Amino acid sequence: MDIETCINYDGGHYVSQLPFEEHIVSSFEHQVGGRAEIVSIHQGKEKSIGKPLNETEHEFYETAANTLPDILLPYIPYYKGVVEIENGKTKCLEHKLKSRPKGLYIVLEDVTSTFKKPSIMDLKMGTRQYSDTMHPDKIGRKKHRSLTTTSHQLGLRVAAIRSYNSTIPSQRYKMNKLQGRALTTDTIFDAFRMFFNDGKKMRYEVISSLLRNLYVIINIIEQVKIRLYCCSLLLVYESDVNAGHKIDIRIIDFAEYQVCDSDGEKYQGPDKGFLLGLNTLAKILLALQMEGQNQLALNEDKE
């Protein structure tokens, strides 16, 4: 088969130069946020994602296992190395991609691969979404965006949502980053209600599971002395009720993280802006949980 696709992994894992039949590259169907197009990489039954390589993010993943507490690693996508993708002119490959991926990609586990119908929420975390090395003009835009959205007061904003309706398979609830930026400290609750409503009922068991994991993350981040600027928190749950109860929660997007300030001094204490977002999320989930308990009590009184 005349397809010129070469994939080389490094990063201490393995190097592979396999034919297209063994590495299938396509667009990633579960991408809900982010500018850069993520690709899906299949090698047999194993599914991974490829994300355009950013040097800072690459450095984060290369050093994460040595610099972060072991207990935090399960809440970060598993890093598999770096991949180089070279596309030939064969139509059966290129028609699957919106743009032609060429160059280096960070290869990460596909956290949605075990879900049948993953409902996904991407939350941009923290009160600050820029690093010291970012261009001043871009820093100005980032500061303005934080001040004019829920990021400033809540430490988080909705970057994207896609959830399934269990009663109408073809129907999905979606929210893009512009709609997320328009949310206020009051209306953001409605976005969460819609995300956890499968068209038939609120998924309170999902909220409870996410909350338990969130408390673990909060406890860890309180002890980590790095700045997770511009990182996101990915919430995933299984929408297909026949596929069992399943959730996932991960910290993603480390292109602007920092371990030192602009003077080269290592940070002391946790990232307070990121922690604010985590604690806000915990309060929102708790409030939704209370709504469910109150509704249950009301229904019991009626009976």
Side-chain angles (χ1 to χ4, degrees):
M1 194 170 183
D2 184 22
I3 298 180
E4 300 173 8
T5 300
C6 176
I7 299 186
N8 303 303
Y9 287 90
D10 62 27
H13 293 276
Y14 58 91
V15 175
S16 178
Q17 293 188 1
L18 299 177
F20 178 74
E21 290 87 348
E22 296 180 60
H23 278 109
I24 300 174
V25 181
S26 61
S27 58
F28 181 55
E29 63 175 323
H30 298 308
Q31 181 174 359
V32 295
R35 287 185 177 182
E37 185 186 10
I38 294 173
V39 297
S40 180
I41 302 172
H42 296 240
Q43 183 192 10
K45 294 183 179 180
E46 183 180 349
K47 294 181 180 179
S48 306
I49 63 166
K51 184 178 182 182
L53 187 143
N54 170 281
E55 289 184 6
T56 302
E57 187 164 38
H58 180 223
E59 176 188 282
F60 173 85
Y61 280 112
E62 284 284 332
T63 60
N66 297 322
T67 59
L68 297 178
D70 290 344
I71 196 173
L72 181 60
L73 298 181
Y75 296 102
I76 295 170
Y78 177 68
Y79 171 64
K80 300 183 179 183
V82 174
V83 63
E84 181 179 11
I85 302 176
E86 297 177 0
N87 284 349
K89 298 180 179 180
T90 308
K91 292 182 180 179
C92 66
L93 172 61
E94 295 197 3
H95 84 279
K96 298 177 182 178
L97 304 173
K98 296 175 185 176
S99 60
R100 182 180 297 183
K102 186 175 183 179
L104 297 179
Y105 285 70
I106 293 173
V107 182
L108 305 169
E109 69 170 306
D110 176 2
V111 299
T112 67
S113 64
T114 60
F115 292 80
K116 189 173 181 181
K117 287 185 177 179
S119 284
I120 305 168
M121 174 180 272
D122 184 334
L123 296 170
K124 186 63 69 177
M125 302 298 291
T127 54
R128 169 175 165 171
Q129 278 99 45
Y130 60 89
S131 63
D132 293 326
T133 57
M134 190 176 283
H135 191 279
D137 290 343
K138 195 170 182 180
I139 289 177
R141 292 195 298 271
K142 294 280 188 177
K143 286 182 176 179
H144 177 75
R145 189 170 297 155
S146 178
L147 288 169
T148 56
T149 64
T150 57
S151 293
H152 181 65
Q153 287 182 266
L154 303 182
L156 61 77
R157 71 171 182 267
V158 175
I161 294 175
R162 188 196 64 189
S163 61
Y164 287 87
N165 187 319
S166 64
T167 60
I168 308 174
S170 61
Q171 187 173 324
R172 299 177 183 178
Y173 169 61
K174 294 182 179 180
M175 178 175 285
N176 60 35
K177 63 181 181 180
L178 296 180
Q179 294 168 319
R181 291 172 191 170
L183 294 172
T184 67
T185 53
D186 294 321
T187 59
I188 196 170
F189 280 85
D190 295 329
F192 279 90
R193 290 188 186 98
M194 290 296 295
F195 175 62
F196 291 114
N197 191 314
D198 67 1
K200 199 173 186 179
K201 65 181 186 304
M202 285 287 289
R203 298 292 298 275
Y204 291 114
E205 79 285 5
V206 168
I207 294 172
S208 296
S209 295
L210 286 171
L211 198 51
R212 285 194 295 272
N213 283 270
L214 182 60
Y215 285 139
V216 174
I217 294 174
I218 290 173
N219 183 58
I220 299 167
I221 295 300
E222 286 176 339
Q223 304 170 52
V224 176
K225 298 177 182 180
I226 61 173
R227 297 298 176 262
L228 298 167
Y229 299 142
C230 213
C231 287
S232 288
L233 195 67
L234 200 67
L235 310 181
V236 189
Y237 72 88
E238 179 59 74
S239 296
D240 189 330
V241 292
N242 298 317
H245 172 64
K246 191 183 299 182
I247 64 102
D248 208 334
I249 179 169
R250 303 292 182 103
I251 304 172
I252 61 172
D253 299 338
F254 300 96
E256 305 297 335
Y257 99 102
Q258 290 185 191
V259 294
C260 300
D261 62 22
S262 57
D263 296 322
E265 296 292 328
K266 287 192 174 182
Y267 291 111
Q268 299 300 314
D271 186 331
K272 293 182 179 179
F274 195 88
L275 268 177
L276 172 62
L278 293 176
N279 284 304
T280 294
L281 178 59
K283 290 176 182 178
I284 291 173
L285 297 183
L286 272 174
L288 293 177
Q289 201 173 54
M290 286 298 297
E291 285 181 4
Q293 292 172 0
N294 292 337
Q295 186 61 49
L296 181 63
L298 185 62
N299 293 339
E300 289 176 349
D301 289 342
K302 288 181 179 179
E303 294 175 0

